[in-house]
Every structure is written in structure tokens, then in C-alpha cells.
Amino acid sequence: MIELKQITKSYPVAEEDLVVLKDIDLTIQEGEFVAIMGPSGSGKSTLMNMIGCLDKPTAGEYLLHGNQVSAYDEKELAGVRNRSVGFVFQQFQLLPRLNALENVELPMIYAGVGKKERLERAEEALDKVGLSNRKRHLPNELSGGQKQRVAIARSIVNQPDLILADEPTGALDSKTGVQIMEMFTMLNQEGTTVILVTHEAEVASYANRTIFVRDGEITTADEVVDKTTYERLVSSHATEDTAERANQTAVTPASVESKDKHATTKEVADEATSEKITPEDTTEVAVSDEQDQSSPDEGGTP
């Protein structure tokens, strides 16, 4: 599905080139759940931007479904992002003057989806993440975990092949972070390829394999994490031999089971919704369900 060949990315700084990625070779198969792990400034977010067609390499080739997207112009890249990639960010990136439903609708507006179908698909996506009763709420009326679930709904509404998540739990308390990661696990089990960027071993342990990045290069685990952290990662992984399945040096396989391996994304979301908001969710604003039900079906932007 994804193949990077000798990818290099540099930026002109003063009279020199700042090299951020160096000769990256990486293959990710359809349906994988992959974590990219590295310290700040390692190049992991730049690598994610490259995979998500948000940036173009200075040198090398990027093939997505066999198409050389590294040669695409900006318009073609925008089309790939809209059709094939869903994005989830640490700070949610929701438009503050749009309610949850309208935020989820946005990718479909860019894709030219008609209003009726747009509304149906947005409501279905919100229901899948357990927020059907919050669809008329503005972002400042939602907790951090609810905002991230809106962002996940937005990322899946165009039914992308790939979801990219950049530090998706970084702005959340640990309990809410577990709920969000269980949603990514369920989406992956339903067939979506998931790639997440993180510096946390606990988050990376949900993935089927972890790629370690340092100084713009794919490297070995001992260059990125200490022995205790590495052992904790390995303890959550299957016992299969990694050497046979890795085409880069920094790969760790994982065997992740949800509390119910047959659970759906919606079941995970319903469980999260049924629990009380924790004290850490300080952005929660009490808005009654009655206010939601009294809202018109097609409310405009405030």
C-alpha cells in the first residue's frame, strides 16, 4: 500500500539545507497498525506529513497504491488527501464556530458530496464514535475526549484507506487516552490502515509494529528508548520473529486484543460515553440533551 524509497526531505536555512529526513526506506501493508516513535525533532512528524501527502520529498519516491504520488502537483495531492487519508491531530483542529456535525461534514464538502448524503454520513460517523447526542454542540461545549472523537469521526467520514494520527492522546488524560486508542484498534480491526506518531511506549504498544526514528533516519529501538521502555513495548508484543517481517531495522510486532476482540468501534464508543467525565476533562460544559433535541435538524453556523 505504502512504499517509500530513499525519501529525503530538506529545507533551505540561510545558505545551507537543513536535512530533516535522510534516505528513508519503508513499506507499510494495507490493514497494518503502525506506530512511529521518536524524540522531539527526530523527523517523525515530517515523515507522517510525507505519508499523508501534506508535503513532498526533496528526493526519492513515494508510492501509494502503486501510484507515484511524490510526482503529483498540489491539486492532485489535495485529491489524494481528501479521498484516501483521514487525519487526527493532538489539538483536534476543529473549527470553533462549527458544531460537531458541521465539523464532520467538512471533508465531504470538499469532496463534492450532496447535502442530504453529507448529513446522513456525518450523523452515522458521530454515532459510530458515540456522540450522536452531542452533534449540535460547539467544540467549547465538549470535553477533550469528545473533541478527539469528533476528530476521529471527521477522519473516517470519507471512508479513507488510511488514518494518520499525530500524538492523538497527547492532550488527553490517561483514561480518555485509553478509550481513544481502543477506537483506533477497532477501526484497524475493521480493515483501516492506521499510522500514529507518538513518543509514548504505552501508545505505541497498541500498534502491530513500531518504527523508531532519530535524527531523520529509521534506526533501532535502543537509539530511541531506554531498556525498560523497550522491554515494556516487547512485553505487549507477540513472540513472532521480527527479522523475517521487517524491511527496516526498527520494527517491533504487537498483538493487541481489545477487551472484546469482536467489539465494534461503536461498542467501544458507547462504553466510553457511559462513563462519567473525569475531573481532568475541565473543558466539559453542561449542556442538556433537551437542548440538543430542540435544535433544528439543519442548524447553521453560529
Side-chain angles (χ1 to χ4, degrees), residues 147-222:
K147 290 177 185 177
Q148 197 60 295
R149 282 192 272 161
V150 173
I152 291 172
R154 181 185 58 192
S155 77
I156 65 175
V157 75
N158 271 345
Q159 301 173 333
D161 306 312
L162 170 67
I163 291 178
L164 294 176
D166 191 359
E167 300 282 5
T169 64
L172 306 175
D173 64 89
S174 57
K175 182 177 180 181
T176 307
V178 168
Q179 294 168 353
I180 293 301
M181 290 310 303
E182 286 178 346
M183 285 189 188
F184 284 122
T185 300
M186 294 301 100
L187 288 168
N188 177 248
Q189 290 178 349
E190 291 169 6
T192 304
T193 305
V194 178
I195 302 174
L196 64 88
V197 167
T198 186
H199 63 276
E200 298 181 59
E202 291 83 359
V203 173
S205 69
Y206 283 84
N208 299 117
R209 60 177 172 130
T210 301
I211 297 163
F212 298 93
V213 180
R214 188 179 183 89
D215 297 329
E217 298 178 290
I218 291 178
T219 185
T220 54
D222 58 355

Side-chain angles (χ1 to χ4, degrees), residues 115 117 145 169 175 191 216 219 225 294 299:
K115 185 175 182 179
E117 182 182 352
T169 64
K175 182 177 180 181
T219 185
V225 297
S294 63

Side-chain angles (χ1 to χ4, degrees), residues 49-85:
N49 290 344
M50 206 70 58
I51 293 172
C53 298
L54 291 169
D55 205 350
K56 296 178 67 174
T58 306
E61 293 183 350
Y62 172 24
L63 294 142
L64 179 63
H65 293 303
N67 300 310
Q68 191 173 327
V69 296
S70 51
Y72 284 8
D73 60 27
E74 290 302 322
K75 184 176 180 180
E76 291 171 318
L77 289 174
V80 172
R81 290 194 300 268
N82 187 257
R83 293 188 307 271
S84 300
V85 187

